[in-house]
């Protein structure tokens, strides 16, 4: 392990402007409304489709989308549209200010990502936002096989960083994820706005206590 400082970022609701708590249900709702099925039938078909858990498995996206299209009787154009709509909703828009701030940390701190994800996120987010040019490593749940706030998610990330917990500051928009980080000794900041998060990172890098912005400790 090295004594480098690391800033570890979540993606959704942090590096991406998207409401993690609502987008998925809104996406399902849009496609439920577009179908000719009532809610009970729609939900029953989805439940019976045996969709693979693409948040903790890699290489299963094709199976997921094929089974979903078959369950909902989607034609080829509709199957493409539902998948495109999913990723548009999932990715939201870039939090350009925070991404550029992270880029500016080069030479002062290392930057990485730990994010709950869906199979295909690496390709979609790289195409849209070019995260690999700023963050390394990028630790996705679908590749690691475990979601936050499971302690294993953070331990796997620490292993990839080659870092001690005390040398890492984690930025996330969900308190439970920060509690999970604290459980393995990683300090965390609850992201609410860019200015507060940037100030907390600066405090951490200067050896301070992140200006009272820590959560989950």
């Amino acid at each position: 392990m090295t004594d480098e400082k690391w800033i570890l970022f979540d993606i959704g609701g942090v590096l991406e402007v998207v409401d993690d708590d609502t987008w998925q249900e809104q996406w399902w709702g849009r496609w439920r409304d577009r179908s000719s099925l009532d809610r009970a039938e729609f939900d029953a078909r989805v439940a019976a489709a045996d969709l693979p858990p693409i948040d903790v498995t890699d290489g299963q996206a094709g199976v997921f989308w094929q089974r979903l299209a078959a369950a909902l009787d989607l034609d080829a154009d509709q199957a493409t549209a539902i998948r495109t709509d999913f990723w548009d909703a999932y990715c939201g828009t870039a939090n350009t200010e925070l991404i550029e701030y992270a880029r500016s940390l080069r030479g002062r701190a290392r930057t990485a990502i730990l994010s709950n994800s869906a199979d295909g996120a690496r390709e979609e987010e790289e195409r849209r936002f070019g995260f690999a040019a700023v963050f390394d490593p990028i630790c996705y749940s679908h590749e690691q096989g475990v979601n936050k706030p499971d302690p294993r998610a953070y331990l796997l990330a620490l292993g990839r960083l080659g870092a001690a917990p005390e040398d890492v500051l984690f930025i996330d928009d969900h308190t439970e994820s920060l509690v999970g980080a604290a459980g393995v000794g990683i300090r965390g900041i609850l992201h609410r706005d860019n200015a507060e998060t940037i100030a907390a990172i600066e405090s951490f890098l200067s050896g301070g206590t992140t200006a009272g912005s820590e959560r989950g400790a």
Side-chain angles (χ1 to χ4, degrees), residues 31-43 45-46 71-73:
W31 286 90
R32 190 183 296 118
D33 292 343
R34 292 176 191 179
S35 77
S36 59
L37 307 170
D38 62 30
R39 182 180 185 120
E41 176 66 14
F42 182 97
D43 291 350
R45 289 194 184 194
V46 171
L72 300 179
D73 294 326

Side-chain angles (χ1 to χ4, degrees), residues 148-151 154 170 172 174-190 214-217:
K148 300 172 298 183
D150 189 306
Y154 308 93
F170 180 50
D172 201 287
H174 285 89
T175 299
E176 60 268 27
S177 293
L178 300 179
V179 171
V184 300
I186 298 173
R187 282 176 283 182
I189 297 300
L190 183 66
E214 295 183 25
R215 296 292 186 274

Side-chain angles (χ1 to χ4, degrees), residues 182-199:
V184 300
I186 298 173
R187 282 176 283 182
I189 297 300
L190 183 66
H191 176 72
R192 290 170 291 201
D193 64 71
N194 290 340
E196 183 176 299
T197 292
I198 290 169

Side-chain angles (χ1 to χ4, degrees), residues 9-95:
F9 292 85
D10 178 41
I11 297 181
V14 180
L15 297 175
E16 292 170 350
V17 180
V18 61
D19 189 339
D20 273 347
D21 295 324
T22 63
W23 75 263
Q24 192 166 5
E25 182 53 40
Q26 291 171 354
W27 171 73
W28 281 118
R30 281 195 299 277
W31 286 90
R32 190 183 296 118
D33 292 343
R34 292 176 191 179
S35 77
S36 59
L37 307 170
D38 62 30
R39 182 180 185 120
E41 176 66 14
F42 182 97
D43 291 350
R45 289 194 184 194
V46 171
D50 191 26
L51 301 175
I54 58 172
D55 58 331
V56 290
T57 56
D58 194 15
Q60 293 296 304
V63 174
F64 178 95
W65 294 110
Q66 289 167 8
R67 289 182 181 175
L68 182 60
L72 300 179
D73 294 326
L74 302 180
D75 62 28
D77 288 343
Q78 291 170 324
T80 297
I82 194 173
R83 191 168 182 166
T84 298
D85 189 38
F86 174 89
W87 286 115
D88 287 345
Y90 178 108
C91 293
T93 59
N95 184 348

